């Protein structure tokens, strides 16, 4: 299990932001559009420049390029590669990493089974529904066994029923794999459901989330 | 039930006149070429040594030029698509220049750059590279004109690929080089294939720059367009027409290939 520490992060939209996630912890960050939620995840993934320090298990990873950070990044758009089948999408991350003797195809099958996407293996992403695409993207994200999972509103484009199904499946999956998870969302219900701890991002700074009395699923969604 | 007519039917009807004019002119030029060639002339053209040489030289040089244009044009197009830097618009204009410059002018420029009296020409000559008045000159001229088409089309092809796919690939553990080869190139493939076809067509038809750099020597630097020119000039019309028809057939084949590619791309997207 991996802990994550952000120290005095500065970039265009974030100011002196610090945060610590204990190993195996799941934290949700709430914030409106434009508050810098996605920016925060992208800079942890090494996709954007920043000042400050990002540490995993106490070791700074700031100088590591994105492909060496061993993170899983899942966004609303999934970005499944349209020229590859779901199985090949999931296989791609394994091409350049050791699989401890386990055949790559077997590892792909295991990841697809984990996200209940085995039946989608032969399809191209263009043929899948939103929920199916998200299952496939999650399998691709998990197949390498990432040290940390970054979720950028991954379920927000789905209908309520599919979203709730995926939330519960995801919680079971996260607990089984014990992955440290950082989720950003604008949906308080999603944040409360998926996060063991909820924080609020406001004007580039993090604050503890205060649940407004009377906020229900209907209000939140 | 009565079918409703198009709201802009009169405008569309008026536009058919220029369309018909254009189509008839193109068809007329093709038919006129075809009618120039009698059946016995066509039969003798099949076994003609000069025609076979011109076809072979055209295919060899244009394919080599296409390879060079792709090797130069794809990375350049990628760079222009993915980066911003001062003076980029100016550089893009410069790279587009060979597309709009008359080929004869481009050839004259290259001739003065690489002529035997210039330091560069002398240096290349000392290295044993004789570019002028040789098939190597043809490849240089063809690459020069084809590369700018490939750069422009490759840039457009990479522009259509959302950079977030590359970012996603990096987070999945693929280094930028592998991401380029396994994600970005395949996703841009339909556009790159169109770039290759357009570049090849341009290289096959290249005449002006080739004339300046490689000269027009029978059975030495005689590509198909050069053969048309030489044979028309010497009054051997039927051979010139046979060469022109071969060029026309090659161009039509490339156009059909491009249409098939576009159709296959659409089919795959909706599969």
């Amino acid at each position: 299990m991996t802990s994550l520490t952000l120290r005095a992060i500065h970039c265009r939209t974030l100011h002196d932001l610090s945060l610590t996630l204990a190993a195996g912890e799941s934290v949700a960050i709430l914030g409106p559009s434009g508050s810098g939620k996605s920016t925060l995840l992208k800079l942890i993934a090494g996709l954007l420049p920043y000042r400050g320090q990002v540490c995993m298990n106490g070791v700074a990873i700031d100088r590591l390029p994105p492909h060496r950070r061993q993170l899983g990044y899942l966004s609303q758009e999934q970005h499944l590669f349209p020229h590859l089948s779901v199985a090949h999408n999931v296989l791609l991350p394994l091409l350049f990493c050791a699989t401890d003797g386990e055949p790559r195809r077997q590892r792909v099958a295991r990841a697809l089974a984990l996200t209940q996407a085995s039946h989608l293996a032969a399809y191209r992403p263009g043929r899948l529904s939103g929920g199916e695409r998200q299952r496939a993207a999650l399998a691709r994200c998990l197949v390498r066994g990432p040290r940390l999972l970054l979720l950028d509103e991954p379920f927000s484009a789905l209908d309520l029923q599919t979203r709730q199904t995926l939330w519960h499946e995801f919680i079971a999956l996260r607990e089984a794999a014990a992955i440290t998870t950082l989720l950003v969302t604008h949906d308080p219900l999603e944040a409360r459901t998926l996060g063991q701890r909820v924080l609020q991002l406001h004007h580039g700074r993090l604050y503890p989330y205060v649940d407004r009395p009377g906020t229900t699923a209907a209000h939140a969604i | 039930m009565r079918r409703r007519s198009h709201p802009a039917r009169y405008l569309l009807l008026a536009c058919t006149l220029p369309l018909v004019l254009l189509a008839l002119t193109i068809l007329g030029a093709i038919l006129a070429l075809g009618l120039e060639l009698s059946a016995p002339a066509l039969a003798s053209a099949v076994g003609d040594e000069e025609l076979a040489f011109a076809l072979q030289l055209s295919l060899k040089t244009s394919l080599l030029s296409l390879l060079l244009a792709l090797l130069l044009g794809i990375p350049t197009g990628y760079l222009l698509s993915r980066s911003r830097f001062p003076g980029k618009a100016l550089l893009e204009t410069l790279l587009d220049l060979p597309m709009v410059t008359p080929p004869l002018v481009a050839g004259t420029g290259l001739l003065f750059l690489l002529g035997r009296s210039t330091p560069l020409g002398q240096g290349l000559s000392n290295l044993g590279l004789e570019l002028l008045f040789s098939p190597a000159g043809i490849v240089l001229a063809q690459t020069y004109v084809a590369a700018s088409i490939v750069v422009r089309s490759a840039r457009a092809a990479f522009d259509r690929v959302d950079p977030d796919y590359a970012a996603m690939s990096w987070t999945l553990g693929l280094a930028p080089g592998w991401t380029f080869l396994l994600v970005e190139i395949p996703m841009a493939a339909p556009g790159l294939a169109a770039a290759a076809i357009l570049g090849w067509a341009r290289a096959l038809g290249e005449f002006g720059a080739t004339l300046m750099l490689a000269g027009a020597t029978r059975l030495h630097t005689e590509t198909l367009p050069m053969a048309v020119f030489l044979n028309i000039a010497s009054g051997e019309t039927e051979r010139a027409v046979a060469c022109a028809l071969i060029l026309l057939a090659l161009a039509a084949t490339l156009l059909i290939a491009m249409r098939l590619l576009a159709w296959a791309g659409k089919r795959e997207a909706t599969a």
Side-chain angles (χ1 to χ4, degrees), chain B residues 53-78:
Chain B
F53 177 88
L55 177 62
Q56 216 174 39
L57 186 65
S58 269
L59 288 176
K60 274 184 192 165
T61 53
S62 64
L63 282 171
L64 184 58
S65 304
L66 173 66
L67 182 70
L68 292 172
L70 289 174
L71 286 174
L72 294 168
I74 291 179
T76 307
Y78 182 73

Side-chain angles (χ1 to χ4, degrees), chain B residues 144-168:
Chain B
Y144 182 81
V145 292
S148 65
I149 290 175
V150 173
V151 167
R152 188 169 252 271
S153 310
R155 195 223 144 129
F158 286 120
D159 279 348
R160 284 193 288 274
V161 179
D162 184 348
D164 282 349
Y165 282 101
M168 180 54 76

Side-chain angles (χ1 to χ4, degrees), chain B residues 26-104:
Chain B
I26 295 167
L27 200 65
I30 295 169
L31 283 175
L33 263 179
L35 291 173
E36 274 297 318
L37 200 64
S38 62
L42 184 66
S44 70
V46 173
D48 186 76
E49 187 200 351
E50 190 180 331
L51 203 144
F53 177 88
L55 177 62
Q56 216 174 39
L57 186 65
S58 269
L59 288 176
K60 274 184 192 165
T61 53
S62 64
L63 282 171
L64 184 58
S65 304
L66 173 66
L67 182 70
L68 292 172
L70 289 174
L71 286 174
L72 294 168
I74 291 179
T76 307
Y78 182 73
L79 180 70
L80 292 174
S81 171
R82 291 291 188 259
S83 61
R84 275 188 236 164
F85 50 86
K88 187 180 165 190
L90 200 69
L91 185 64
E92 282 179 322
T93 311
L94 180 76
L95 291 170
D96 282 345
L97 213 53
M99 270 195 311
V100 289
T101 313
L104 212 58

Side-chain angles (χ1 to χ4, degrees), chain A residues 36 68 72 76 83-84 109 113 118 129 132 138 147 157 172 203 207 209:
Chain A
R68 297 233 172 96
Q76 187 180 326
H83 59 290
L84 299 175
S118 302
S129 69
E132 289 172 335
L138 190 57
R147 298 201 290 166
H203 292 305
Y207 300 92
Y209 173 63

